[in-house]
Amino acid sequence: MQKYGILKLVSVILVITVCAFLAYNEVKKNNIRTGIDIRGGIYAVLEPDIDKSSLTDDEIDKGLESAKTILGKRLDAKNIFDRSINIDSVNDRIIIEIPWAAGETNFNPQDQLNELGKTALLTFQEVDEDKVDENGIYLPTGKIIIQGNQVKDANAAPYQEQGSWVVALELDESGSEAFAEATGRLVGKPIAIFMDDQLISAPIVNQKIEGGKAIITGMANAEEAAELAATIRSGALPFRLVATKVDSISPQLGEGAMNVAVKAGIIGFLLVCLFMILVYRLPGVIASIALFGLAVLTILSVAWTGISITLPGIGGIILSIGMGVDANCVIYERIKEELRAGKTLRSAIDQGFHRAFAAVLDSNVTTLISAVVLYALGSGPIKGFALTLGIGVAISFLTAVTATKLMLEGVSGIGAFKNKWLYGVK
């Protein structure tokens, strides 16, 4: 029994140690993306590449609103919540600010702008066999069959016939009808797929294609296919956007502010651990290990999901650690009550966790609901705060009811740790 308890204790500590090592590597390699307020980013002015005289002011305004929404979706898909996207209605343009990527060393604003994906328009066009460039590559003819906004879904898929990757498209009703009509008329001829004026591929139509299914060939690898599919899924821009100005912007607060916040967090964490140990003794030590596990798991989650961390985001992480402390306090007070009632140590631990579970679950669920609402209705740094808070609370619940319990059960099976005084009871 004692060996089994030691095994559980060592296993949990070993897992936390490995996670701490991984988290340290992520921090050391600068794989955690920081927000504009901490590290700065880029400022870009995007203007529609259209003949404005061909559209009314209302049509241009609607197009810019649509483009703003789509750019926001693309940044959401990359977990870049610390951004600013605004429409300059006077000059008919979009102004955007996004943070530097994690590990960025060249600080090239143009490269960073590429994170938006193609600021381009996807079109399937009829081909004019005589309209090619000097390399024999088809040029746009303007005879558009379907556009990207007629695509319902897009996914990367292996193309078994050639051992390559393609993007599989599902078209909406209008796109299906137009595509069926065109492929029925153009059997034996190519249909060119353009991203703006860049030819992606020009597959030959073998037969009339009905049912709203199409593929884009010519992908170099799975990553390129996945990237193009993600760009199409996030929405087709109503018109091509051209970056007329791209600059780097300075951080609003600077890395010094982040260093101060991190130092404050470390000091606060140590004081919390000291409090827990003084009040709850051996369970306080267990809680400190679990809280350390909560911190490193949250850091790993942030690094692996690519969420940009702002100062509000750091606040969300610290708040989730506070939730972890609260859960441990509730559980330990229940255990002390059971010990005072004369229960054995093992029985007190089981009953303590059982009776505290509902209260811990309720507090975590209500906080998660708040995080979900903030994420759904908020924008920019508020979304980042909601996401770090939600991730932190979920991990906090996991560590409080599993890691803490396993470690407590482990030490309770060791003879030297069975004295009730070690659990805060005389």
Side-chain angles (χ1 to χ4, degrees):
M1 184 68 180
Q2 181 168 323
K3 288 183 180 178
Y4 185 60
I6 293 174
L7 180 62
K8 285 201 287 189
L9 179 65
V10 171
S11 298
V12 175
I13 293 176
L14 185 61
V15 170
I16 293 175
T17 303
V18 171
C19 290
F21 175 74
L22 294 174
Y24 172 76
N25 272 343
E26 296 293 344
V27 173
K28 188 179 179 181
K29 293 177 181 175
N30 289 323
N31 287 342
I32 296 178
R33 185 175 200 141
T34 50
I36 295 174
D37 56 348
I38 295 173
R39 199 160 170 245
I42 70 162
Y43 165 95
V45 176
L46 305 176
E47 296 192 20
D49 184 24
I50 56 173
D51 179 7
K52 294 181 181 177
S53 62
S54 64
L55 299 175
T56 65
D57 290 343
D58 188 49
E59 288 174 330
I60 293 175
D61 289 343
K62 287 182 178 177
L64 289 173
E65 281 291 346
S66 176
K68 176 186 174 183
T69 302
I70 291 165
L71 291 175
K73 287 181 179 177
R74 290 182 179 181
L75 291 173
D76 283 349
K78 294 177 181 294
N79 291 328
I80 303 174
F81 302 110
D82 178 36
R83 82 295 176 107
S84 170
I85 308 174
N86 296 300
I87 295 175
D88 179 357
S89 300
V90 176
N91 298 300
D92 294 333
R93 61 187 187 178
I94 293 176
I95 299 171
I96 187 167
E97 294 178 356
I98 56 176
W100 293 113
E104 176 67 39
T105 55
N106 295 325
F107 297 101
N108 185 328
Q110 188 59 54
D111 289 346
Q112 196 66 37
L113 190 61
N114 292 336
E115 275 213 272
L116 283 173
K118 301 285 185 182
T119 55
L121 181 64
L122 176 74
T123 58
F124 288 59
Q125 300 188 24
E126 292 185 33
V127 167
D128 186 340
E129 299 286 351
D130 298 327
K131 195 171 183 180
V132 296
D133 64 10
E134 61 276 9
N135 297 316
I137 297 175
Y138 293 122
L139 295 173
T141 61
K143 300 175 184 175
I144 296 174
I145 299 169
I146 59 171
Q147 297 186 16
N149 57 5
Q150 293 172 292
V151 178
K152 286 171 58 180
D153 196 11
N155 292 289
Y159 195 37
Q160 296 180 353
E161 293 182 12
Q162 300 179 11
S164 59
W165 284 79
V166 299
V167 176
L169 304 177
E170 182 181 351
L171 308 178
D172 65 12
E173 185 176 350
S174 65
S176 299
E177 292 176 359
F179 198 64
E181 185 278 327
T183 52
R185 179 166 46 83
L186 300 172
V187 172
K189 297 180 180 179
I191 288 179
I193 303 168
F194 290 95
M195 189 65 81
D196 280 343
D197 295 340
Q198 181 184 354
L199 179 70
I200 303 298
S201 67
I204 303 294
V205 179
N206 295 320
Q207 59 184 2
K208 182 178 181 179
I209 301 175
E210 297 179 300
K213 303 289 185 182
I215 60 171
I216 299 176
T217 58
M219 300 295 105
N221 48 46
E223 287 74 20
E224 183 179 326
E227 180 72 21
L228 180 57
T231 300
I232 295 172
R233 272 201 309 274
S234 62
L237 293 172
F239 35 60
R240 182 188 180 198
L241 290 173
V242 178
T244 56
K245 184 178 182 182
V246 182
D247 285 323
S248 58
I249 53 178
S250 302
Q252 296 159 357
L253 297 174
E255 293 193 25
M258 182 177 179
N259 294 334
V260 170
V262 171
K263 285 181 182 176
I266 292 173
I267 292 172
F269 178 81
L270 293 176
L271 289 175
V272 166
C273 291
L274 182 62
F275 171 82
M276 295 292 288
I277 293 171
L278 289 176
V279 174
Y280 296 106
R281 299 170 189 167
L282 183 57
V285 176
I286 299 294
S288 299
I289 297 172
L291 290 173
F292 179 69
L294 162 63
V296 297
L297 284 172
T298 305
I299 292 172
L300 277 179
S301 301
V302 169
W304 288 348
T305 56
I307 299 170
S308 56
I309 285 295
T310 62
L311 287 183
I314 294 175
I317 295 173
I318 293 174
L319 186 55
S320 65
I321 293 176
M323 292 293 296
V325 174
D326 180 64
N328 280 287
C329 288
V330 172
I331 293 168
Y332 293 162
E333 287 299 330
R334 291 288 189 187
I335 291 175
K336 288 168 74 173
E337 287 177 6
E338 298 297 329
L339 287 173
R340 291 191 186 107
K343 298 281 182 63
T344 63
L345 180 56
R346 184 54 188 267
S347 176
I349 291 173
D350 289 341
Q351 286 298 312
F353 273 93
H354 178 71
R355 294 180 61 190
F357 183 82
V360 173
L361 180 64
D362 288 349
S363 64
N364 280 271
V365 168
T366 52
T367 306
L368 274 177
I369 290 173
S370 302
V372 170
V373 173
L374 280 175
Y375 181 82
L377 303 180
S379 62
I382 300 300
K383 273 196 169 186
F385 169 78
L387 204 56
T388 55
L389 176 62
I391 291 173
V393 168
I395 297 174
S396 164
F397 180 75
L398 184 68
T399 55
V401 301
T402 56
T404 301
K405 187 177 182 183
L406 284 172
M407 286 190 286
L408 264 183
E409 289 176 347
V411 296
S412 68
I414 302 173
F417 298 129
K418 290 188 175 180
N419 190 322
K420 291 185 178 180
W421 181 87
L422 292 174
Y423 298 84
V425 178
K426 294 181 180 177

